Amino acid sequence: MQRPDGEPVEVELTVRDLRHEPSVDGLVLTVRDVTERRRLERELLRRAYLDPLTGLGNRLAFHDAVRNACADAASDGTTAGVLLVNIDDFRLVNDTMGHDIGDLLLVSIGQRLTDALAGHGPVARLGADEFGAIIAGARGVDEIEVIVERTITAFVDPFLVSGSVVTAQPSIGVSTTADAADSQQMLSQADVALNSAKSAGKARWRRYEASLHAAVLQRMQLRAELDQAIADSAFTLHYQPIVDLD
C-alpha cells in the first residue's frame, strides 16, 4: 500500500465478516504495517545465505544454485559444471603473515574467481580456503574445460595484499551434468576430482571421470586392508643396521 505521503509500505490485512451483527452490518478490515518486520526477515534470510567475510554466497546458497543449474540444464539441453576450488598451502599464509592478511587474501581470491567466471555462474565460499563455482548454460563439456583452464591461468599473477605480494594457486575439481544424474552426485564427483588434482601435484585441475572414482575406491580398500593387517599383526618388521666400517 501507499501512505498519504506516497511512501510504499507492506501491510498485513485481516478481514472479519460482521454482517450478521446489527451494530456493525459489514466487513471489518484491520491493516497492520509490517514493513520493518518484512525487512528484518529478508535481512536474516540474506545473511543465512551469505559468507560474511567475502560477501559471496555460502555453502547453503551454493547447494541451492547447483540444484537450480542441474534443473536448468535438464530443461534446456545445455551442460552445467561445478567447480570446487581449494587454495594450495593457504595455511602457510596464515602461519607466516597472520590471519588478517589471510582474510584479505581470501577476499581477493573470491573477487578474482568472480571476475574469471563472470557471466557463467555464481561463486561461493564454502568455508576456510575452499570456494565453489558454477558454469551454467555451456554448449558442452569442452566449453566448460576451456573456462576452467582460463580460471587456472587467472591465478598466475600474484596478489597484492596490504602492501605484500602473495602467491596463491588453486587446485580445482570439476564435474558436469554430462556425468552426473543429480546435483548431489555432481558435488560428490567434483570432490573426487579435487582430491585427484591435489594428489597430482596441486595448482592444476581435474574433471571427474569414472576411472577417478575407481582409483578412490581402490585406495579406500587398500587403507582398510592395511588397518586390518596392523590389527592382526600381519606385518613382519626387518631391521637392517647401517655399519660404519671405519
Side-chain angles (χ1 to χ4, degrees):
M1 296 179 66
Q2 277 192 337
R3 292 176 178 169
D5 60 5
E7 182 180 353
V9 294
E10 294 182 69
V11 299
E12 185 177 81
L13 176 67
T14 59
V15 183
R16 296 176 63 196
D17 185 359
L18 297 180
R19 287 175 293 182
H20 60 282
E21 294 287 344
S23 59
V24 180
D25 191 23
L27 304 176
V28 178
L29 280 65
T30 304
V31 181
R32 181 181 293 108
D33 186 347
V34 295
T35 305
E36 183 63 16
R37 190 178 79 190
R38 290 285 188 263
R39 185 192 68 79
L40 290 174
E41 289 173 352
R42 284 192 292 269
E43 178 64 17
L44 289 173
L45 183 62
R46 186 183 69 86
R47 292 185 181 184
Y49 282 82
L50 189 71
D51 173 57
L53 176 63
T54 61
L56 301 172
N58 59 14
R59 184 177 295 272
L60 185 61
F62 181 64
H63 285 191
D64 284 352
V66 173
R67 283 192 290 269
N68 293 335
C70 286
D72 292 342
S75 64
D76 59 20
T78 59
T79 303
V82 164
L83 283 63
L84 292 185
V85 183
N86 185 262
I87 307 304
D88 298 332
D89 302 321
F90 178 79
R91 182 178 297 178
L92 291 177
V93 177
N94 282 336
D95 292 344
T96 58
M97 306 183 72
H99 287 273
D100 289 343
I101 296 297
D103 287 348
L104 291 174
L105 178 59
L106 287 173
V107 173
S108 298
I109 289 170
Q111 185 58 55
R112 189 169 293 189
L113 280 171
T114 300
D115 293 342
L117 294 165
H120 298 293
V123 175
R125 181 182 176 223
L126 308 183
D129 58 349
E130 187 174 10
F131 294 80
I134 295 171
I135 298 174
R139 291 185 294 271
V141 173
D142 291 346
E143 181 179 343
I144 290 176
E145 291 184 347
V146 170
I147 297 170
V148 176
E149 188 64 41
R150 190 167 65 233
T151 302
I152 283 282
T153 304
F155 282 82
V156 171
D157 294 333
F159 293 84
L160 182 62
V161 181
S162 192
S164 300
V165 177
V166 185
T167 299
Q169 295 293 334
S171 293
I172 303 178
V174 183
S175 63
T176 72
T177 50
D179 300 302
D182 53 38
S183 61
Q184 194 60 44
Q185 192 173 32
M186 276 188 77
L187 291 168
S188 177
Q189 290 179 353
D191 193 48
V192 170
L194 175 59
N195 289 333
S196 175
K198 296 186 78 69
S199 299
K202 305 178 182 180
R204 62 193 66 204
W205 66 274
R206 287 287 185 272
R207 183 173 67 83
Y208 174 84
E209 297 174 345
S211 58
L212 295 182
H213 190 66
V216 170
L217 292 178
Q218 186 177 15
R219 286 197 300 271
M220 290 177 62
Q221 182 179 0
L222 178 60
R223 180 179 300 176
E225 291 174 351
L226 287 172
D227 289 342
Q228 188 60 46
I230 293 173
D232 295 342
S233 298
F235 287 106
T236 302
L237 302 181
H238 297 271
Y239 294 88
Q240 179 180 349
I242 300 175
V243 179
D244 186 346
L245 296 179
D246 292 338

